[in-house]
Amino acid sequence: MKKSIDFIRNGFLYGGDYNPDQWLDRPDVLKEDLRLMKKSGVNVVSLGIFAWSALEPEEGVFRFEWLDRVFDDLNRSGIRVFLATPSGARPGWMAAKYPEVLRVGSDGKRNLFGIRHNHCFSSPVYREKTAEINGKLAERYASHPAVILWHISNEYSGGCHCELCQENFRNWLKNRYGDLDSLNKAWWNAFWSHTVTDWNHIHSPVPHGEPMLHGLNLDWKRFVTDMTVDFMEAEIAAVHTVRPDLPVTTNLMAGVENSEHDPGLDYWKFRDKFDFASWDSYPGWHLPGYQAFSLDIPESPVDDYRRASEVAFQHDLFRSLTGGPFLLMESTPSAVNWRPLSKPKKPGLNILSGLQAVAHGANSVQYFQWRKSRGGFEKYHGAVVGHDGTENTRIFREAAELGSLLDKMRPIADTDYPARTALVYNWENRWVFEDSRGALNGPRKAYLETVRKHYFCLWDSGVPMDIISGEEDLSGYDLVVAPMLHMVGKTCEKRIREFVEAGGLFFTTYQSGYVDESDLCFEGAVPGPLRDILGITCEELDVLNPREQAEILPSVEMESFFPNGTGIATDFCEVVQVQSARSLARFRGSLADGAPALTVNDFGKGSAWYLAGRLDADSLKGLYRHLIKRAGTASVHDRLAARDETVSVQVRSSGDKKYLFLMNFAPKEAVVRTVKSYMDFLNPGEPKSEWILPGWGVAILE
Ligand code: GAL
């Protein structure tokens, strides 16, 4: 579905979640909101996200007068609206009258009324009530001149284990497998006498039942994603009864955190369901204990440059979901309130992080929330307007400065983020790999961290990237990287094969090509269907103790790319035999001693590279220098003569227009020298080639 999304190309959208329903008894506050919004450059708000109880205080009794007033006031002030459907939290009367709308946990207990996101996507009542309120909102507001976008629900996440969901799950399985024989084969149910003889015997995976059947676990996660998508589509259908041309989005969560912020959904399945993706970004700026790089990139106590790479990864992921501009739907102008410790953004960082989103292809910067609530769970969460209610705060001043910068940047809004390199991040792959029990279990398997480490090496080399599922057409790329591609489905195999045959450079690593889409091990050697493409087989796997290391000794041709002479392998060392491939490095130590650690295979017009051990970050970066060159893929760093290492450089372009973003993710000044001279877009003057960025500073080069 591609609706008219011109508005997103015409200029940057700037604003945030606006919750006037919390202030209905304070017309003075609502009036002041408008003045302050204008003052800070806000041109759009997300409205009504959790407003169901204000919209329908009793069953069937609807109150829209307050929203009419808010709409008209916003419209008079030239502020546009992302109109939300309120399904993220249901009113108390509904839970009391129809307990089926509440979720059942994996312990089989139905939740009481409370919190948000506590609703069953199978419940016919919840679906009916949601369709009703969505339809009423559409009838009343879809044609209102202020509305430009539907904001569907809020951060869909989690699942439910009630009887209705069990029933839907069984039907979903019937649809997928047709008969029990096929299901039993796909789940390998002869093992532990698990053969299913009646569909009704199937239950969702729960701790006191069956948590260890990998096929069941995988299908349950797929089902939860499909149910959520189905629910979302029903919501969209309900709002599209009026003005089906009005675009839709839903605000997605970070989605790749190993934390309670993992929604448990496969976002690749959402990609063609909305007009563009939007996401909520809350990185832990200024905090130590940087998770993604705990693997082996030496960690400084606080390293915001590396954190910036994690955020960049997510921007690239969400941009890649729909391919065009995306929306940064939420962020905090200062601190969040839900981490054990949350530091306010240092002066300058709010502007920098907002522009970082733009540099990666976002056409909006939005906050949660516009005005701080006086009570409730998020009363201390950062907001543009604090409890003091004034514009006389650093946070407000910086927000206003960003507003005026975005306004100046209007000509950049119709540019794109061009990428010729793609990195595979696949949720199903992550699920099956994390669920599997092998020689190394627990956090050191680190699929996500490994993907982020590879991302960091490329990002730090100035390579613009798309993040892909692995099932897309790859013909637009020079270089495709798929770390730890444990599961290789048929489409994925086909795409890789076509890509390399046509001349692409494909790079993958240890732990790839083990299982098919059903999480069944391939018959024949690892890496399964990638064997002939990579020209290797892998016979055995050694895993190393926490402080154990093996060495990786490069061949003469690769020596110059290993900055420390030899590389260090940790955690995984596979024993590989080359078939048609050439070995470019060997292991010293571990069971793989003497065996190839890095191989390349010429296949069709391209080449396929395989790394058999978990390589240290320095050497991996060196290896990427070589791969980038070999693939002939673009790096923005080609335009630079020198760069201080805390500066990230990104480019947005279209036709002849090109804008380089230089972003300094550190408190101290940094310098970048460009090969050619550029205009300073934000501070026009003479063209120049030396760029001095203050701490947390940004420059845009035209
Ligand atoms: C988001 C959510 C918002 C708010 C915010 C606080 O995940 O969508 O409603 O709770 O977190 O950081």
Side-chain angles (χ1 to χ4, degrees):
M1 102 175 26
K2 283 276 171 275
K3 297 272 145 51
S4 154
I5 55 167
D6 296 347
F7 71 90
I8 205 181
R9 294 273 184 190
N10 291 341
F12 290 99
L13 297 161
Y14 187 54
D17 285 15
Y18 184 38
N19 299 307
D21 42 310
Q22 295 175 21
W23 301 92
L24 290 180
D25 59 345
R26 292 294 304 275
D28 56 319
V29 168
L30 299 184
K31 192 165 162 217
E32 181 67 351
D33 279 337
L34 295 173
R35 185 183 74 81
L36 292 173
M37 282 179 193
K38 291 307 286 174
K39 183 145 199 196
S40 59
V42 161
N43 56 25
V44 69
V45 293
S46 303
L47 195 56
I49 299 178
F50 296 110
W52 203 335
S53 62
L55 293 168
E56 192 181 356
E58 291 169 49
E59 185 171 20
V61 176
F62 295 94
R63 294 264 180 274
F64 292 114
E65 306 75 27
W66 66 271
L67 192 55
D68 293 348
R69 277 195 302 276
V70 173
F71 254 102
D72 291 342
D73 290 345
L74 287 167
N75 193 41
R76 261 196 303 278
S77 303
I79 295 166
R80 301 279 149 256
V81 172
F82 296 164
L83 181 55
T85 66
S87 65
R90 73 253 67 82
W93 58 258
M94 194 189 301
K97 183 160 178 199
Y98 309 102
E100 72 162 58
V101 304
L102 298 171
R103 275 185 195 172
V104 170
S106 60
D107 57 0
K109 266 209 232 147
R110 189 174 298 278
N111 292 348
L112 298 177
F113 174 72
I115 57 170
R116 55 178 167 176
H117 306 156
N118 175 12
H119 38 265
C120 168
F121 290 140
S122 295
S123 156
V125 172
Y126 202 61
R127 284 178 174 242
E128 185 195 311
K129 293 290 174 198
T130 302
E132 185 179 16
I133 187 80
N134 288 7
K136 293 225 180 277
L137 283 168
E139 273 162 34
R140 200 162 183 109
Y141 302 110
S143 302
H144 194 286
V147 183
I148 53 175
L149 172 80
W150 283 107
H151 177 300
I152 303 293
S153 200
N154 178 71
E155 295 192 338
Y156 287 120
S157 54
C160 167
H161 295 261
C162 74
E163 266 317 308
L164 294 165
C165 286
Q166 304 297 342
E167 189 55 32
N168 278 339
F169 181 43
R170 289 174 200 130
N171 289 334
W172 183 93
L173 291 168
K174 279 181 201 163
N175 192 34
R176 182 177 177 85
Y177 294 106
D179 54 62
L180 282 173
D181 195 34
S182 309
L183 176 138
N184 281 318
K185 282 197 178 113
W187 291 1
W188 208 253
N189 272 342
F191 180 77
W192 285 352
S193 215
H194 274 26
T195 304
V196 181
T197 51
D198 183 331
W199 292 101
N200 291 324
H201 295 168
I202 297 173
H203 194 281
S204 59
V206 292
H208 58 292
E210 179 54 88
M212 288 187 182
L213 188 58
H214 293 158
L216 167 69
N217 291 347
L218 176 59
D219 278 342
W220 174 252
K221 289 190 175 108
R222 285 172 170 154
F223 162 75
V224 171
T225 293
D226 285 358
M227 275 308 287
T228 310
V229 169
D230 185 67
F231 186 87
M232 179 179 77
E233 288 190 285
E235 283 215 52
I236 294 172
V239 297
H240 274 167
T241 48
V242 185
R243 276 202 64 195
D245 62 310
L246 203 57
V248 297
T249 188
T250 186
N251 58 327
L252 302 169
M253 303 172 80
V256 290
E257 301 242 8
N258 278 331
S259 68
E260 74 270 27
H261 291 97
D262 185 338
L265 300 172
D266 177 356
Y267 280 164
W268 293 123
K269 293 206 175 146
F270 285 70
R271 64 188 322 168
D272 52 355
K273 311 292 179 200
F274 38 58
D275 298 284
F276 33 75
S278 64
W279 82 287
D280 303 341
S281 172
Y282 295 102
W285 298 111
H286 315 312
L287 298 182
Y290 190 68
Q291 182 195 357
F293 295 96
S294 54
L295 279 179
D296 64 20
I297 295 186
E299 194 179 354
S300 61
V302 169
D303 189 340
D304 286 310
Y305 177 68
R306 293 209 179 118
R307 199 171 297 281
S309 133
E310 178 184 277
V311 183
F313 170 73
Q314 293 175 320
H315 288 321
D316 286 347
L317 171 68
F318 290 106
R319 187 197 62 249
S320 303
L321 268 185
T322 45
F326 68 99
L327 298 176
L328 176 63
M329 189 58 92
E330 291 182 22
S331 61
T332 174
S334 59
V336 298
N337 70 327
W338 41 261
R339 286 205 169 84
L341 186 152
S342 177
K343 281 192 166 292
K345 287 170 162 171
K346 298 260 166 72
L349 181 56
N350 186 46
I351 293 175
L352 174 63
S353 62
L355 294 187
Q356 187 196 18
V358 170
H360 282 267
N363 271 18
S364 78
V365 177
Q366 308 281 117
Y367 300 110
F368 173 85
Q369 58 181 332
W370 163 253
R371 181 185 282 274
K372 256 186 200 181
S373 312
R374 287 190 59 207
F377 182 72
E378 291 176 332
K379 62 181 178 290
Y380 295 125
H381 193 286
V384 181
V385 180
H387 292 141
D388 67 305
T390 76
E391 65 258 63
N392 306 319
T393 60
R394 174 180 77 84
I395 290 164
F396 187 92
R397 280 191 296 274
E398 279 197 39
E401 195 182 332
L402 179 52
S404 83
L405 286 177
L406 289 170
D407 190 42
K408 249 196 218 172
M409 288 163 58
R410 197 175 288 258
I412 303 180
D414 70 348
T415 59
D416 293 306
Y417 184 89
R420 304 259 333 151
T421 292
L423 173 70
V424 175
Y425 172 74
N426 186 296
W427 271 275
E428 291 197 356
N429 183 56
R430 175 174 167 192
W431 292 338
V432 300
F433 183 59
E434 287 177 355
D435 205 22
S436 71
R437 289 294 172 273
L440 180 61
N441 297 312
R444 278 172 57 220
K445 288 167 104 171
Y447 170 62
L448 172 59
E449 286 76 3
T450 304
V451 172
R452 281 176 174 167
K453 181 173 154 183
H454 285 249
Y455 179 88
F456 177 75
C457 293
L458 287 160
W459 177 83
D460 189 47
S461 309
V463 174
M465 266 168 288
D466 284 341
I467 309 297
I468 58 169
S469 73
E471 302 201 335
E472 299 82 350
D473 172 17
L474 303 176
S475 58
Y477 300 112
D478 309 311
L479 173 62
V480 172
V481 173
M484 303 180 86
L485 193 63
H486 197 74
M487 182 175 81
V488 180
K490 288 204 177 58
T491 313
C492 177
E493 179 213 330
K494 180 169 169 278
R495 298 298 198 185
I496 294 168
R497 187 173 291 280
E498 286 166 356
F499 170 70
V500 185
E501 269 169 355
L505 195 156
F506 174 67
F507 174 49
T508 186
T509 71
Y510 54 93
Q511 291 297 297
S512 292
Y514 280 68
V515 297
D516 66 12
E517 299 93 334
S518 296
D519 198 13
L520 292 174
C521 293
F522 290 114
E523 292 185 74
V526 166
L530 303 180
R531 277 196 304 258
D532 62 324
I533 304 173
L534 290 160
I536 55 160
T537 51
C538 163
E539 192 182 326
E540 273 194 275
L541 165 69
D542 197 3
V543 292
L544 307 187
N545 287 317
R547 270 171 294 280
E548 195 183 345
Q549 297 183 335
E551 284 173 300
I552 292 188
L553 313 177
S555 65
V556 180
E557 124 187 40
M558 291 301 294
E559 254 168 21
S560 61
F561 295 99
F562 278 64
N564 307 319
T566 55
I568 302 295
T570 50
D571 299 330
F572 294 99
C573 297
E574 284 176 348
V575 187
V576 159
Q577 282 114 22
V578 290
Q579 306 301 334
S580 52
R582 272 187 312 128
S583 168
L584 295 173
R586 297 200 162 270
F587 282 110
R588 183 155 69 198
S590 85
L591 185 69
D593 189 52
L598 175 69
T599 62
V600 58
N601 190 41
D602 294 327
F603 187 81
K605 295 191 188 129
S607 62
W609 296 63
Y610 191 80
L611 176 66
R614 181 170 273 163
L615 185 59
D616 70 276
D618 272 356
S619 311
L620 188 61
K621 239 160 106 179
L623 176 55
Y624 270 114
R625 260 208 319 280
H626 182 62
L627 297 179
I628 292 163
K629 237 170 81 189
R630 274 285 299 254
T633 200
S635 160
V636 216
H637 290 182
D638 296 343
R639 297 164 196 279
L640 309 184
R643 170 190 72 112
D644 276 345
E645 60 185 8
T646 56
V647 180
S648 161
V649 187
Q650 300 299 325
V651 64
R652 279 188 66 157
S653 65
S654 93
D656 291 346
K657 282 210 249 178
K658 223 164 229 122
Y659 299 92
L660 288 190
F661 287 68
L662 310 183
M663 298 170 282
N664 180 20
F665 287 96
K668 62 177 208 299
E669 189 177 280
V671 181
V672 173
R673 289 196 184 78
T674 46
V675 178
K676 288 193 326 199
S677 293
Y678 292 87
M679 296 296 291
D680 184 337
F681 178 81
L682 296 174
N683 305 292
E686 289 300 302
K688 53 182 182 172
S689 60
E690 184 179 78
W691 304 85
I692 299 173
L693 303 168
W696 317 112
V698 190
I700 302 177
L701 284 52
E702 190 178 5

